[in-house]
DNA sequence: TTGTAAGCGTTATCAC
DNA sequence: GTGATAACGCTTACAA
């Protein structure tokens, strides 16, 4: 059984002590060129791979990052993961992805396991963690944390989100340009920061567009298509239904679309719709969906970037306080298709 | 700085030796009830969490599973990950997901890192690893591996795939029932097992349905929509284009749909189409897509199951040889909608 | 320039 | 029943 090659083997083979071998391989301290070469040769010869475990035990770093999102099987979060993993991988970090199952308890449990496993950093999209809960978890073992998409303001070492307010302005403005005066927003769960931001963004954009409060309807659903569908039905039952809807996400838009279809309504004739997120199948829907293009991969990599910085700064993120946690806001872009009334 | 609580702290607090504390907490050996209780109390009191790193160093197990797929941001693989992570998590395993970037080199690199990090097991969807390459990697440190979706027959401790051949039979049969006699298959890359199986499945299903070889067209593309689109165009340029297409995946179907639309063809009137994979937006496409429902989450959890067994059997998977590696084949189900000609 | 030795936090093999 | 003590594989003072 191919016993694993240890540093001791390399040292013996090179005829030096273990510590010399270690120093040679890590390029630390003053070594004679001969020994350095001899050790390198021996390591190569034996195909030595330093044990991450032994190293971690000693250095107290695991080169591992924890990644927690509400639902990893969602294209959006899967892409975030990809972006983060790629960026962090380039710096030698592995990432462990965990699912919070769209619940705060799940989130807490995931974070606990991750911290317990001594990850060097955390990437978290929260669905409503409180500052206190967050403190309690990271206080057990200080671990820098960068929030993304679902953020907890003032906590952690930074955050990256989409320009939710700006996006809503674009969406509502576009609908208004099409002549709509009674616009509804189907929003996401209000315990999540991005859902909240989109809601406030919607309201101020509506005001900006000259709509009266009475004409700005707003209802909330989960992020899933099914609950969006139900909510959309309820919206249509309003005494005075809207003439256009802005959906807070692609899945919500899909739910709405389904509801409209169930009522025999034609989009955009009977009802216009636009949405956040630009799913790749948007163009092939009937009608093609007008959306806000976002780049989830970028969210992940920017978050990874910020985390790397925080880790460098050391102190488990304790060294902020002087400067505010960095917050990146990623731009979004309108992708006009037919569902809004464009031709 | 909240120094971390170690076993030594617990032992001291309980007034016993470290080894006794260890035994008490692990429930090993004969201990007096008092000491057992005292240790438990101390551990609880101090909120002791055994260090996974210290433990790993000693036990040579990391309680970590490596997960490698061509593209993690794909809904299909993301769902596999979710299924696997959930099942393995229940047994105390964490999973590290890595992207092979749809290349064999990427796969090899990912596997190397994972094995180097001493994962206790591997879950792999390969895009064309050879037996030799696989051997070389896992021989460095024997690690049980279960293949899924993209499998390497005869290698590893088992595999789980979809019933690709049966699925093709259903798809082709359905199209034949609609009266189609000239059916084309837009297949996936032929270095991947599932793509190959679907291809052979297509050919035998076509024969079964009484089609002549001359009437069974077959072209291959990548799994991405863009290359499928190009290939579909080429297909239409055939002297005698088919009247129906079966797409080897949802993304391939999307690419075809786009090509058909670009040519001003109406589906299903000018061209019928059915496909593997049942994306959730399938119903809202124009026309709604007839598909084969599959359950990627199940693929992940079944693969996890098999892997757990293999790990129990120990010997790094060396103990097969007597019995063949278990191979699970998951059923698929037809989801008829309008793109095939159904009304 | 190199070697010795301590220690990271466990578990496991001995003695007692 | 319980306690020393030796690993596990590595890094890093401290000596030489």
């Amino acid at each position: 059984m191919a016993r694993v090659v240890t540093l001791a083997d390399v040292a013996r083979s090179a005829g030096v002590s273990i510590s010399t071998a270690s120093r040679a391989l890590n390029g630390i301290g003053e070594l004679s060129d001969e020994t350095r070469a001899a050790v390198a040769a021996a390591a190569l010869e034996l195909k030595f791979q330093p044990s991450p475990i032994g190293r971690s035990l000693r250095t107290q770093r695991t080169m591992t990052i924890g990644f927690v999102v509400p639902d990893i099987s969602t294209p959006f979060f899967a892409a975030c993961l990809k972006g983060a993993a790629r960026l962090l991988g380039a710096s030698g970090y592995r990432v462990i992805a965990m699912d919070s199952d769209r619940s705060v308890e799940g989130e807490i449990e995931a974070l606990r396991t991750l911290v317990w496993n001594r990850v060097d950093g955390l990437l978290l999209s929260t669905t409503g963690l409180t500052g206190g809960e967050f403190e309690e978890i990271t206080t057990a073992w200080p671990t820098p944390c960068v929030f993304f998409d679902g953020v907890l303001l003032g906590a952690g070492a930074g955050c990256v989100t989409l320009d939710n307010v700006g996006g809503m302005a674009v969406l509502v403005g576009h609908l208004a340009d099409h002549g709509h005066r009674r616009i509804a927003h189907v929003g996401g769960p209000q315990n999540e920061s991005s859902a909240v931001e989109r809601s406030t963004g919607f309201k101020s954009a509506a005001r900006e567009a000259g709509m009266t409060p009475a004409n700005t309807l707003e209802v909330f659903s989960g992020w899933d298509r099914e609950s969006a569908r139900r909510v959309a039905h309820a919206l249509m039952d309003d005494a005075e239904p809207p003439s256009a809807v802005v959906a807070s996400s692609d899945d919500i838009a899909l739910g709405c679309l389904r509801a409209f279809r169930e009522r025999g309504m034609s989009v955009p004739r009977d009802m216009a719709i636009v949405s956040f997120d630009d799913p790749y199948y948007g163009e092939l829907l009937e009608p093609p969906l007008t959306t806000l293009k976002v780049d989830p991969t970028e969210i992940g990599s920017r978050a990874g970037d910020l985390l790397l910085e925080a880790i460098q700064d050391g102190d488990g993120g304790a060294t902020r306080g002087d400067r505010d946690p960095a917050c990146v806001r990623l731009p979004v872009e309108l992708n006009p298709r037919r569902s809004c009334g464009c031709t």
Side-chain angles (χ1 to χ4, degrees), chain A:
Chain A
M1 173 67 42
R3 220 194 92 270
V4 69
V5 179
T6 130
L7 187 55
D9 298 323
V10 176
R12 193 176 320 117
S13 162
V16 298
S17 76
I18 296 186
S19 48
T20 302
S22 171
R23 279 183 291 236
L25 293 173
N26 294 321
I28 285 175
E30 309 287 283
L31 287 275
S32 83
D33 289 351
E34 302 97 72
T35 44
R36 203 183 293 280
V39 171
L44 202 66
E45 157 81 16
L46 301 176
K47 297 195 210 298
F48 169 69
Q49 311 259 145
S51 152
I53 303 169
R55 177 175 289 176
S56 288
L57 186 58
R58 180 65 230 230
T59 61
Q60 304 286 39
R61 297 181 318 140
T62 54
M63 297 305 282
T64 296
I65 302 296
F67 178 98
V68 182
V69 289
D71 183 354
I72 190 60
S73 69
T74 253
F76 179 85
F77 288 122
C80 290
L81 171 58
K82 190 191 177 88
R86 167 173 297 279
L87 186 127
L88 293 167
S91 296
Y93 287 91
R94 280 141 274 140
V95 5
I96 299 194
M98 300 196 82
D99 218 289
S100 70
D101 246 335
R102 301 201 171 282
S103 78
V104 175
E105 305 84 68
E107 221 168 88
I108 294 181
E109 198 186 312
L111 289 172
R112 275 200 213 290
T113 0
L114 257 10
V115 169
W116 172 51
N117 278 279
R118 295 284 178 277
V119 293
D120 293 339
L122 288 167
L123 254 25
L124 169 61
S125 180
T126 180
T127 61
L129 203 67
T130 69
E133 289 164 334
F134 177 71
E135 280 304 317
E136 191 196 319
I137 292 167
T138 56
T139 213
W141 183 250
T143 311
C145 175
V146 168
F147 288 86
F148 66 97
D149 189 55
V151 309
L152 176 55
L153 253 48
C159 68
V160 11
T161 61
L162 294 170
D163 179 8
N164 291 305
V165 172
M168 269 298 163
V170 171
L171 252 21
V172 172
H174 188 71
L175 249 20
D177 288 348
H178 273 296
H180 292 282
R181 285 296 165 265
R182 187 165 172 78
I183 303 179
H185 173 217
V186 179
Q190 294 298 297
N191 40 347
E192 297 184 34
S193 66
S194 56
V196 170
E197 287 187 4
R198 288 172 201 182
S199 170
T200 64
F202 169 74
K203 280 178 289 213
S204 66
R207 203 177 322 114
E208 190 79 13
M211 288 167 49
T212 65
N215 268 339
T216 70
L217 281 65
E218 189 166 44
V219 290
F220 300 109
S221 82
W223 290 118
D224 62 304
R225 297 178 294 281
E226 185 46 28
S227 77
R229 182 183 140 264
R230 282 197 304 269
V231 162
H233 270 300
L235 192 61
M236 294 305 101
D237 289 334
D238 192 285
E240 232 181 311
S243 67
V245 160
V246 8
S248 246
S249 82
D250 49 2
D251 273 346
I252 288 181
L254 246 34
C256 292
L257 241 26
R258 199 168 191 287
F260 300 158
R261 183 164 298 195
E262 285 165 351
R263 298 202 158 213
M265 299 168 66
S266 160
V267 176
R269 204 193 52 202
D270 304 332
M271 175 71 65
I273 184 170
V274 298
S275 101
F276 242 86
D277 302 330
D278 186 40
Y280 53 78
Y281 51 81
E283 181 184 28
L284 292 162
L285 294 175
E286 183 47 42
L289 194 62
T290 293
T291 59
L292 226 41
K293 201 181 190 61
V294 305
D295 186 353
T297 322
E298 173 82 3
I299 300 182
S301 60
R302 294 300 289 276
D305 240 344
L306 253 38
L307 184 55
L308 244 28
E309 274 181 38
I311 292 176
Q312 306 268 291
D313 292 356
D315 306 283
T319 8
R320 31 174 215 88
D322 43 348
R323 58 186 165 96
D324 270 347
C327 267
V328 177
R329 229 164 242 291
L330 264 19
V332 296
E333 185 190 337
L334 186 69
N335 214 331
R337 288 197 274 242
R338 288 211 334 263
S339 70
C340 56
C342 284
T343 48

